[in-house]
Amino acid sequence: MINKCFEVRVLTLFPEMFPGPLSYSLAGKASEKNIWSLKTVNIRDYATDKHKTVDDEPYGGGPGMVMRPDILGKAFDKNNPNSKWKKIILTPRGKPLTQKMVKDISSKPGAVIVCGRYEGIDERFISSRSLEEVSIGDYVLSGGEPAALILIDSIVRLLSGTIGSSDSLIEESFENNLLEHPHYTRPYEWEGMKPPAVLLSGNHREIEKWRKNIALEDTKKRRPELLISEKK
Ligand code: ADE
């Protein structure tokens, strides 16, 4: 059964960056099928002076500009439809995004996503509107927009109807705190390399065992912290 349309509202200074890559492939098709919908809100439309100013110098000094809480507050309040929606602000100071968080967001009716720019966002806006601060990794982007595109992509592929077979979601990386096993396809021999013999054995129990084992070995080698952390 297909769920109700998941609604995404993005508050940004660069609405023309959307839907961008989200109009292609799985997300693009899912949007055509009305599995999800996107509305962008230009934060600058809520500026009050003739120069449409949205930022100002930081109190205490320092480089760059800070996004003003009054402008953001107005843009948010006019576009915050429902208390059941997730309210997210993308910033490198946020909680690192995990598949568990993505699943939680995808179970809601929608999400409001605020994209930061400049050196930062006035803290009073973040705390007063109870926004969850989310980071997509320990590196700094020039703004939250590319992070929002990544976040939305990760949500949309979990919505019912986006991916043909839900089996592909069960086996993938980060399920059970493991990376996914490696994959092989035709040709049988390529540059002198063949796929592991077990995959051609037709013995499904052995194939399953091999995949679980290599997933565990690869996770130990590449991402040992996944095995000791709480369920992602
Ligand atoms: N904005 C700038 N850097 C970011 C990051 N790593 N994650 C989310 N938003 C950001």
Side-chain angles (χ1 to χ4, degrees), residues 146-194:
L149 292 167
I150 286 168
L151 173 63
I152 298 166
D153 183 277
S154 69
I155 297 166
V156 167
R157 55 189 297 290
L158 295 187
L159 299 173
S160 166
T162 298
I163 291 184
S165 155
S166 50
D167 290 354
S168 8
L169 294 175
I170 293 167
E171 292 249 328
E172 68 187 3
S173 288
F174 307 112
E175 285 303 318
N176 307 313
N177 275 9
L178 291 175
L179 300 177
E180 197 183 7
H181 57 77
H183 301 272
Y184 299 87
T185 186
R186 292 185 185 86
Y188 173 67
E189 187 167 343
W190 179 69
E191 297 193 347
M193 296 176 282
K194 294 173 188 162

Side-chain angles (χ1 to χ4, degrees), residues 89-93 116 134-145 147-148:
I89 184 156
L90 290 158
T91 134
R93 272 167 48 86
V134 173
S135 160
I136 61 157
D138 290 342
Y139 41 82
V140 182
L141 305 167
S142 47
E145 285 78 7

Side-chain angles (χ1 to χ4, degrees), residues 64-211:
M65 302 291 268
V66 177
M67 286 175 79
R68 284 168 44 162
D70 52 339
I71 312 295
L72 281 167
K74 234 185 318 150
F76 183 82
D77 294 346
K78 287 267 182 217
N79 293 285
N80 174 27
N82 189 318
S83 61
K84 294 202 182 103
W85 285 34
K86 268 281 175 198
K87 295 161 187 59
I88 293 165
I89 184 156
L90 290 158
T91 134
R93 272 167 48 86
K95 199 171 160 192
L97 183 66
T98 63
Q99 191 66 13
K100 185 178 176 219
M101 287 155 73
V102 175
K103 268 190 199 164
D104 175 51
I105 303 166
S106 70
S107 71
K108 311 283 180 207
V112 185
I113 301 172
V114 183
C115 302
R117 277 269 143 183
Y118 305 113
E119 298 306 301
I121 291 166
D122 191 299
E123 190 63 24
R124 293 167 294 179
F125 167 67
I126 301 172
S127 56
S128 66
R129 299 310 190 263
S130 306
L131 294 170
E132 278 180 48
E133 291 181 75
V134 173
S135 160
I136 61 157
D138 290 342
Y139 41 82
V140 182
L141 305 167
S142 47
E145 285 78 7
L149 292 167
I150 286 168
L151 173 63
I152 298 166
D153 183 277
S154 69
I155 297 166
V156 167
R157 55 189 297 290
L158 295 187
L159 299 173
S160 166
T162 298
I163 291 184
S165 155
S166 50
D167 290 354
S168 8
L169 294 175
I170 293 167
E171 292 249 328
E172 68 187 3
S173 288
F174 307 112
E175 285 303 318
N176 307 313
N177 275 9
L178 291 175
L179 300 177
E180 197 183 7
H181 57 77
H183 301 272
Y184 299 87
T185 186
R186 292 185 185 86
Y188 173 67
E189 187 167 343
W190 179 69
E191 297 193 347
M193 296 176 282
K194 294 173 188 162
V198 63
L199 299 180
L200 289 107
S201 68
N203 185 334
H204 294 292
R205 194 162 334 131
E206 282 304 308
I207 293 172
E208 213 34 52
K209 216 163 91 186
W210 179 85
R211 285 181 169 160

